[in-house]
Amino acid sequence: MSNLDRQATLSVCGGRGFVVAEPVRELLSPRTVKLGESTEVRRLLPNLGRRMVGAWAFVDHYGPDDIADEPGMQVPPHPHMGLQTVSWLHEGEVLHRDSLGSLQTVRPRELGLMTSGRAISHSEESPRPHARLLHGAQLWVALPDAHRHTEPHFQHHADLPTVTAPGLTATVILGELDGAASPGTIYTPLVGADLTLAAGADLSLPLDPDFEYAVLSMSGEAHVDGVPVLPGSMLYLGCGRTELPLRAASDAGLMLLGGEPFEEEIVMWWNFIGRSQADIEEARQEWMTGARFGEVKGYDGGRLAAPELPAGVLKARGRVR
């Protein structure tokens, strides 16, 4: 999924300076962003004061939206580099096309994982015809320097491992949880899991104390370590936890995101992750005039133009002057 913000700003993310080394309960409120003609998303990362959770660098939550009489998701071809995109649905379908020739419909609780590496472009759209409701999350994982120029590739996994307990079914999207490992390729130690809680569930989930964690609420009423987390909000949990208490007042859906704190500082702008402003400037120029990002074939419409880069020089901690 694209960042369609036409006022995109350069920001520095990652590094130990933003990591909280102990357990905390930091509730993050979303920023509302328009995505195409009819889809509105709630952006949780990057957030004011909280840029990343492990290697997770971008989180959008959208829906449930009634798109019965709407075009639904319509994101034209656009570029990515230096990251992985994770498509995750609770309702509806999304048709993925990319410059490698991939064509895949992603359905609820199936993993669509695109590794951009040095360069890729893709589009996302609701199929025609499409289901009445659309509800899901789009996430990015930053690639470490050793792998950010890897060859781009796309993976689709319809069958993912689960962890069960009374009142809980946890689908492991990426990484490993309680001994169950996703088949999705990762490049840093991390975890992403979809948690389905039944009304009245009261349990603790095992965690890795070396990871930092956050929980995104997708639906229902749930308390995470005693904090009520409403749909479309996210609770940052810090590091140093060996377990996470969960309680559901109703049927609820959550996403657990975690990973080892990302050591490297990265520069993120629009749909690119690099290590310098020069990386970003070069990528933008290549998208506008070159062939580096390839061509998405079959999408009914033109590709997305890059916004203008902000004037000035990128300074430490994401400030642009």
Side-chain angles (χ1 to χ4, degrees):
M1 184 176 289
S2 173
N3 176 7
L4 298 188
D5 191 347
R6 306 310 296 175
Q7 304 297 320
T9 58
L10 283 159
S11 60
V12 174
C13 306
R16 287 278 180 172
F18 291 104
V19 177
V20 180
E22 60 187 6
V24 295
R25 303 174 185 86
E26 180 183 308
L27 192 62
L28 305 179
S29 298
R31 179 169 63 94
T32 302
V33 178
K34 289 291 291 184
L35 188 69
E37 298 177 6
S38 59
T39 303
E40 189 174 82
V41 304
R42 291 167 286 278
R43 184 151 299 160
L44 283 309
L45 286 181
N47 200 301
L48 184 64
R50 182 61 49 205
R51 298 292 186 179
M52 298 178 71
V53 177
W56 299 96
F58 182 95
V59 176
D60 275 353
H61 172 249
Y62 54 92
D65 295 326
D66 187 337
I67 60 170
D69 300 317
E70 303 287 344
M73 184 179 294
Q74 297 294 325
V75 183
H78 58 278
H80 286 289
M81 76 167 189
L83 58 92
Q84 295 176 289
T85 65
V86 177
S87 298
W88 190 252
L89 290 167
H90 276 195
E91 295 179 277
E93 297 177 338
V94 172
L95 179 62
H96 165 96
R97 304 175 193 265
D98 64 40
S99 53
L100 304 176
S102 308
L103 179 64
Q104 179 66 55
T105 300
V106 180
R107 298 178 173 86
R109 292 179 172 81
E110 297 179 354
L111 172 61
L113 177 64
M114 186 181 75
T115 301
S116 66
R118 58 178 178 78
I120 199 171
S121 57
H122 74 141
S123 65
E124 293 168 295
E125 58 187 305
S126 295
R128 304 173 189 173
H130 53 250
R132 182 181 189 91
L133 296 178
L134 180 65
H135 182 205
Q138 184 75 201
L139 312 100
W140 296 356
V141 178
L143 292 171
D145 191 62
H147 297 285
R148 68 187 180 100
H149 298 296
T150 192
E151 287 298 306
H153 56 275
F154 177 77
Q155 299 175 47
H156 174 249
H157 297 286
D159 297 314
L160 295 169
T162 59
V163 174
T164 59
L168 168 71
T169 299
T171 302
V172 185
I173 303 168
L174 281 181
E176 183 175 331
L177 179 67
D178 198 26
S182 166
T185 301
I186 58 173
Y187 296 89
T188 56
L190 56 75
V191 65
D194 183 88
L195 312 179
T196 300
L197 297 173
D202 191 349
L203 67 145
S204 290
L205 196 65
L207 299 183
D208 185 331
D210 293 331
F211 281 17
E212 60 176 340
Y213 288 95
V215 170
L216 168 67
S217 175
M218 298 287 286
S219 61
E221 298 180 39
H223 286 70
V224 179
D225 196 18
V227 179
V229 185
L230 299 177
S233 62
M234 188 162 73
L235 184 68
Y236 176 70
L237 296 162
C239 299
R241 294 176 179 268
T242 57
E243 61 180 16
L244 181 63
L246 300 171
R247 181 167 56 85
S250 67
D251 290 348
L254 305 171
M255 290 188 73
L256 175 71
L257 306 174
E260 285 188 359
F262 200 77
E263 295 279 358
E264 304 167 23
E265 284 196 347
I266 61 175
V267 177
M268 186 160 65
W269 177 81
W270 197 44
N271 298 298
F272 304 136
I273 290 180
R275 294 302 183 275
S276 68
Q277 183 165 337
D279 287 347
I280 302 299
E281 291 171 346
E282 179 184 352
R284 182 189 182 278
Q285 183 67 18
E286 278 291 320
W287 173 244
M288 296 299 289
T289 63
R292 171 176 160 187
F293 292 93
E295 179 185 357
V296 178
K297 296 181 178 180
Y299 181 82
D300 185 14
R303 66 181 197 165
L304 197 65
E308 293 295 325
L309 273 163
V313 179
L314 183 67
K315 300 297 182 182
R317 297 298 174 217
R319 296 178 183 173
V320 180
R321 303 179 69 180

